[in-house]
Amino acid sequence: MSLVHLSNLCAHLKNCSHVNIAKTSIPFSRMHLQVALGLYREGFLSSVQKGSTSGPDQKPVDVTPDNIATRRLWVDLKYRKNTPVIREISMILRPGRKVNMTSTEIRALASGLAVRFVQPLQPAEVIFVRTLPTEIMEVQEAAKKGLAGMALCRVK
């Protein structure tokens, strides 16, 4: 997992939502796919599609080492009354500040308590955590499963 790629994803979605872009593409990676699907499940995005640099795929195409450079994720941003649903998206994790949390700290954060320097979870807000080396999920889901993890980003 690269912090730079996750930071670029957050900045790109934030910039697109502030200038009212309906559809945008992001580079395809497992981390980006998991974050985009999490945002879709939580209602921040209206759709997530695999595609290439020219647009979303009409029929499914497998990702191979030959075409990985051209593969993109196409996401449709959601708006209500011309205001973006994604008001703010920011990184919690920084290179000098990694936030590893135990399962009890994740449960406390999910229930609305502050944990270390991470502000408590507010209504209509999600925090994504990396629980396993390859799995990214929302903090409420991680708390229900009793998993420990690393706090990544916050979406309001």
Side-chain angles (χ1 to χ4, degrees):
M1 178 187 80
S2 173
L3 294 177
V4 173
H5 296 299
L6 187 59
S7 296
N8 287 343
L9 170 69
C10 291
H12 182 71
L13 291 177
K14 182 178 178 179
N15 291 338
C16 288
S17 67
H18 286 306
V19 294
N20 295 337
I21 292 177
K23 184 181 283 266
T24 187
S25 69
I26 55 177
F28 181 83
S29 71
R30 175 178 280 164
M31 176 183 57
H32 289 169
L33 179 63
Q34 289 178 346
V35 170
L37 289 176
L39 288 171
Y40 175 74
R41 277 192 301 271
E42 296 298 323
F44 289 99
L45 300 176
S46 58
S47 75
V48 177
Q49 297 174 313
K50 287 183 182 179
S52 65
T53 54
S54 60
D57 290 336
Q58 300 302 324
K59 56 182 182 174
V61 176
D62 289 334
V63 178
T64 63
D66 298 333
N67 70 358
I68 190 72
T70 62
R71 302 306 297 162
R72 308 287 283 176
L73 285 174
W74 288 85
V75 296
D76 288 335
L77 300 173
K78 214 182 240 190
Y79 297 92
R80 289 201 179 100
K81 297 180 183 174
N82 283 343
T83 59
V85 174
I86 297 176
R87 296 183 317 268
E88 180 69 32
I89 183 168
S90 60
M91 293 291 294
I92 296 172
L93 181 69
R94 298 213 170 103
R97 183 176 79 179
K98 297 198 190 266
V99 188
N100 291 315
M101 296 184 185
T102 64
S103 59
T104 56
E105 289 175 329
I106 286 184
R107 266 188 251 118
L109 184 63
S111 65
L113 298 173
V115 175
R116 295 185 221 160
F117 58 84
V118 180
Q119 297 298 317
L121 192 63
Q122 300 297 318
E125 182 177 54
V126 296
I127 294 175
F128 288 103
V129 295
R130 184 179 78 177
T131 57
L132 299 172
T134 59
E135 191 171 359
I136 296 173
M137 64 178 57
E138 205 271 323
V139 72
Q140 298 283 351
E141 186 179 347
K144 284 179 188 173
K145 292 182 179 181
L147 300 172
M150 182 184 298
L152 297 176
C153 63
R154 172 188 298 266
V155 183
K156 296 179 186 180

